[in-house]
Amino acid sequence: ERLQSVPIVPVYDSLEDMVGEHRLNAHGCFDVLVIATPDHLHADHVVRCLGSGIAVLVEKPFTQSTNEAEKCVKT
């Protein structure tokens, strides 16, 4: 009974699949995504999500360099 009240959470094989589905859905699929991947991937994932209109929250550290942080902020 308790499992029936748990919403179904989609699972994706890649960031590209997830962002692609968000783009295909007229209202978007997500309000916000939490970026909790390895640190060296944060900047790329932030830029891809923001570029697709998905708001993000990023775990620390935000990026590994000032250049990556500036790229994210510009996006």
Side-chain angles (χ1 to χ4, degrees):
E1 276 181 47
R2 289 175 52 181
L3 290 178
Q4 291 176 347
S5 65
V6 176
I8 295 175
V9 177
V11 176
Y12 303 93
D13 291 327
S14 68
L15 179 65
E16 291 78 20
D17 290 347
M18 184 179 60
V19 170
E21 183 172 324
H22 180 80
R23 285 182 178 163
L24 291 175
N25 187 323
H27 303 289
C29 298
F30 315 105
D31 293 325
V32 64
L33 292 178
V34 176
I35 307 291
T37 54
D39 301 346
H40 69 279
L41 299 174
H42 286 184
D44 181 51
H45 290 176
V46 167
V47 168
R48 287 194 211 177
C49 290
L50 291 177
S52 295
I54 303 169
V56 296
L57 296 171
V58 187
E59 73 173 354
K60 293 180 184 179
F62 175 51
T63 63
Q64 292 191 324
S65 72
T66 304
N67 290 337
E68 287 179 344
E70 288 174 353
K71 183 177 178 181
C72 291
V73 169
K74 285 180 184 179
T75 302

